[in-house]
Amino acid sequence: MHVEKTAHPCQFPVAIPQRLIKALTKPGDMVLDPFMGSGSTGVAAIIEKRYFVGSEIMEDYYNISVSRIKDAIEGKARI
């Protein structure tokens, strides 16, 4: 079990969206993830100094993502 693994069945590593965010945006830009799942894109956006907007209809996954993004904001992201 990887350090950033959560209960989400299809979670992907933060490094994947982080690479794209760094290549396609600049600090201060807005990143949108309309299907944020466990919040990996949000964590990557916060780490890379971007703003983030996301949505998720599954309450359990939403709660996971909020917790992970909050940790990223506080500098405690587990990646």
Side-chain angles (χ1 to χ4, degrees):
M1 189 145 157
H2 192 272
V3 67
E4 62 182 279
K5 182 68 180 133
T6 68
H8 193 282
C10 301
Q11 180 178 341
F12 53 85
V14 170
I16 294 172
Q18 188 174 13
R19 175 182 284 172
L20 293 168
I21 289 166
K22 286 170 72 171
L24 301 171
T25 66
K26 59 185 182 300
D29 281 355
M30 178 72 66
V31 175
L32 169 66
D33 186 354
F35 310 99
M36 71 179 174
S38 65
S40 295
T41 301
V43 171
I46 299 303
I47 290 171
E48 295 303 325
K49 308 288 191 256
R50 275 59 166 184
Y51 293 100
F52 176 74
V53 174
S55 63
E56 176 57 54
I57 62 171
M58 301 293 294
E59 185 176 2
D60 290 343
Y61 302 155
Y62 171 80
N63 292 333
I64 290 168
S65 65
V66 168
S67 176
R68 292 180 74 211
I69 293 167
K70 184 178 174 185
D71 284 349
I73 290 169
E74 295 172 356
K76 299 184 288 186
R78 297 182 337 165
I79 58 170

